[in-house]
Amino acid sequence: APASLPDVIAARLSMLPHGALVLCQALAVFGLEVQIDNLRRVAGDQLDPSFEQSLEALQVRSLVRDDAGLITFTSPVVRDVVYDGIPADVRRSRHGQVAEALELVVGDPAVLGHHHAAAGHRARAIDLLERAGDIAVHQYDEDGASSMYQRAVALARLGVYAGDDDGDIVERYVMLSIKLAESLRVRGQTALARGVIAEARPWSGGVARLESQL
């Protein structure tokens, strides 16, 4: 018999009809909950049997519930097990579909940036996460700003090391590092701020404008 709760959940998932499993995976990519219209927009055309039958199969097995059009996992553990079981290439594709669907209804750059990053859309994710950090700064949320800038810096660093064809990626990396360091300094984490600046300084290329800001 399965030895732990995640194993029990995984065993139950393995017995789902294919359409119900696909729908469950799409919901997991959204998160713990999603409006039914957004879920239908992403997964509704790919299900056999139909969207309604697949959703009912999940509800009958107490994996999800429908709260007046808000589809929610019955437990965060269920969501985590489902998400971890999605193949990497399918997960990236799903995040791309979710990002495309949410562009029409969600204006939060942090949410959109998360999905674009998970989908492998590096340049778009950097733009969105930087914007989310800027918004957090204007709202005096330095913790949120640091989190957003840190994710943007990590993506820009990957682009630099991968040798992206985008000629501005190195400058973007340096400028994002400056924003992250400033946010850390405001939070009193000066040692971390110095480390961020020290890592970015060799990439400034002797450009006076970047050197002065560093």
Side-chain angles (χ1 to χ4, degrees), residues 5-206:
L5 180 58
D7 293 330
V8 173
I9 295 171
R12 294 182 63 191
L13 292 172
S14 69
M15 293 183 287
L16 283 175
H18 177 70
L21 179 60
V22 170
L23 186 62
C24 197
Q25 291 176 342
L27 174 56
V29 171
F30 274 103
L32 285 174
E33 61 185 27
V34 64
Q35 291 292 335
I36 191 170
D37 290 341
N38 291 332
L39 184 60
R40 189 192 305 273
R41 188 177 294 115
V42 169
D45 297 335
Q46 307 170 26
L47 302 180
D48 183 19
S50 69
F51 179 87
E52 287 73 17
Q53 291 174 295
S54 298
L55 181 57
E56 183 180 0
L58 296 177
Q59 291 177 274
V60 166
R61 292 165 173 80
S62 298
L63 295 172
V64 307
R65 59 176 176 268
D66 184 352
D67 297 328
L70 184 67
I71 309 303
T72 308
F73 277 107
T74 53
S75 167
V77 178
V78 175
R79 185 266 170 185
D80 291 344
V81 173
V82 173
Y83 187 81
D84 290 342
I86 304 174
D89 57 335
V90 176
R91 187 184 306 172
R92 284 192 296 270
S93 175
R94 283 292 184 196
H95 274 290
Q97 293 170 345
V98 168
E100 183 178 343
L102 292 182
E103 292 273 8
L104 305 174
V105 294
V106 175
D108 187 347
V111 173
L112 296 174
H114 163 74
H115 287 294
H116 277 291
H121 307 157
R122 188 180 297 154
R124 179 67 173 146
I126 290 173
D127 291 340
L128 289 164
L129 293 171
E130 181 181 13
R131 191 191 313 165
D134 293 343
I135 292 172
V137 167
H138 289 303
Q139 295 175 343
Y140 302 102
D141 178 13
E142 294 298 338
D143 289 346
S146 296
S147 176
M148 295 297 104
Y149 289 145
Q150 186 172 14
R151 294 190 66 183
V153 166
L155 290 172
R157 185 189 298 115
L158 285 175
V160 170
Y161 290 150
D164 281 0
D165 293 336
D166 181 2
D168 296 331
I169 189 64
V170 173
E171 182 173 345
R172 290 294 303 279
Y173 167 61
V174 174
M175 295 301 297
L176 285 167
S177 296
I178 292 170
K179 287 187 174 184
L180 174 58
E182 176 64 11
S183 181
L184 291 170
R185 183 193 65 80
V186 172
R187 293 173 58 194
Q189 297 181 321
T190 53
L192 286 176
R194 290 192 191 99
V196 170
I197 293 298
E199 186 177 15
R201 190 179 299 279
W203 295 97
S204 64

